[in-house]
Amino acid sequence: MTDLEALKKAVENGKRNNVISIVQAAIDAKEDVNTLIDRGMIPGMREIGNRFSRSEVYVPELLIAARAMQTGMSMLEPVLAGNEHKTLGRIAVGTVRGDLHDIGKNLVALMLKGAGYEVIDLGVNCDIEKYQYGLDQGAQILVCSALLTTTMPYMREIVNEFKGKTKIIIGGAPVTQAYADEIGADGYSADANGAVKLVDELLNQRFELIA
Ligand code: B1M
């Protein structure tokens, strides 16, 4: 039986080789992969996200944990293909029109994936049509990232276009809660882990970490 706490810690601390050996052993033993994901790997990513929000760790640690998580997920993918794994929801993530900064957006996408959501990555320079594509793919929330004061105003256009059709949440270095309130966005968060919390709230998800 997999030691779920050890798997959680391996993801949280970015111990990729430990993730590989634990996941491989579980696959060989034909264990339930959903349990590995839901009770081992996702709690590990959530925990590192919480530590990031408390400034106990920084972007590199988060990226190393996300890489360990992704390695484990890629090993589980072939097993999952013949097996329904329920995700918490479907979220479309993009950087807004005119803006090519994608490091923060990618971090938000990684954290959402790590937290159990299915992510449609719309990329950078996203106009209304790209967000519409996300909505057409069934996104329950549109996430908009902007790093430039000159591209931030495009968020208002996105909100005006999609308000009432889906939820729109925003973030990025120049963006503030006051700006989100001003343009009528459904939420704002300052960091990637905050984006996960916001999505949880908007979709009424409750996620309890294992002790
Ligand atoms: Co640019 N750039 N850049 N740049 N760049 C900034 C943003 C800038 C502040 C630098 C400066 O002048 N001090 C400045 C913006 C000034 C302003 O508008 N106020 C700037 C500029 C001016 C430009 C160009 C115009 C430069 C030029 O060509 N003259 C140009 C614009 C290109 C374009 O987009 N059209 C440009 C280009 C570039 C590079 C291509 C060289 C590169 C981007 C590479 C890439 O992304 N692939 C780049 C970089 C790297 C930066 C800095 C140095 C770092 C940005 C970054 O990745 N931070 C940046 C200066 C700085 O921040 N120190 C700068 C790390 C990342 C993890 O943080 O993206 O903030 P961030 O994401 C955070 C949160 O904001 C939040 O979560 C993340 C972490 O938890 N978050 C969200 C982000 N999106 C969210 C969405 C959410 C919630 C949270 O939704 C709910």
Side-chain angles (χ1 to χ4, degrees):
M1 232 5 225
T2 298
D3 180 345
L4 293 171
E5 185 61 21
L7 180 57
K8 176 187 167 216
K9 285 280 170 220
V11 170
E12 182 185 336
N13 297 323
K15 303 285 184 204
R16 192 163 161 264
N17 288 339
N18 293 3
V19 172
I20 292 173
S21 55
I22 295 171
V23 169
Q24 191 57 56
I27 292 172
D28 294 343
K30 299 199 177 350
E31 285 187 27
D32 175 23
V33 294
N34 292 339
T35 306
L36 294 188
I37 298 169
D38 296 340
R39 297 184 57 79
M41 294 164 70
I42 291 177
M45 272 312 284
R46 294 238 172 196
E47 190 54 32
I48 189 82
N50 290 336
R51 288 168 61 195
F52 174 73
S53 290
R54 296 194 297 264
S55 300
E56 293 169 9
V57 295
Y58 298 96
V59 169
E61 285 90 344
L62 211 49
L63 289 174
I64 291 166
R67 192 186 62 157
M69 171 91 186
Q70 278 183 330
T71 300
M73 286 304 290
S74 65
M75 292 170 73
L76 293 173
E77 252 163 41
V79 188
L80 283 169
N83 189 340
E84 278 287 294
H85 179 253
K86 203 170 161 290
T87 66
L88 294 179
R90 189 175 289 178
I91 317 295
V93 179
T95 302
V96 301
R97 192 177 75 183
D99 202 322
L100 304 177
H101 294 87
D102 68 356
I103 299 170
K105 182 269 293 175
N106 291 344
L107 209 47
V108 171
L110 282 172
M111 291 304 292
L112 285 168
K113 279 187 201 166
Y117 290 96
E118 183 185 346
V119 172
I120 303 166
D121 191 340
L122 301 172
V124 295
N125 194 23
C126 293
D127 55 13
I128 298 285
E129 284 68 31
K130 277 203 191 160
Y131 281 101
Q132 181 62 51
Y133 169 80
L135 190 59
D136 293 344
Q137 296 301 305
Q140 294 152 286
I141 297 180
L142 304 179
V143 179
C144 306
S145 176
L147 263 285
L148 300 171
T149 45
T150 49
T151 57
M152 218 171 94
Y154 193 68
M155 289 173 160
R156 187 190 293 273
E157 292 185 41
I158 296 169
V159 170
N160 289 343
E161 177 69 26
F162 295 105
K163 192 78 184 165
K165 296 180 192 161
T166 188
K167 305 269 186 218
I168 307 108
I169 62 173
I170 65 174
V175 182
T176 60
Q177 181 66 57
Y179 185 68
D181 295 342
E182 182 191 321
I183 67 172
D186 296 291
Y188 157 80
S189 75
D191 65 30
N193 195 49
V196 173
K197 298 258 158 61
L198 193 54
V199 166
D200 285 347
E201 274 170 36
L202 289 170
L203 297 181
N204 292 317
Q205 297 285 6
R206 282 176 187 279
F207 199 90
E208 306 295 339
L209 288 177
I210 56 173

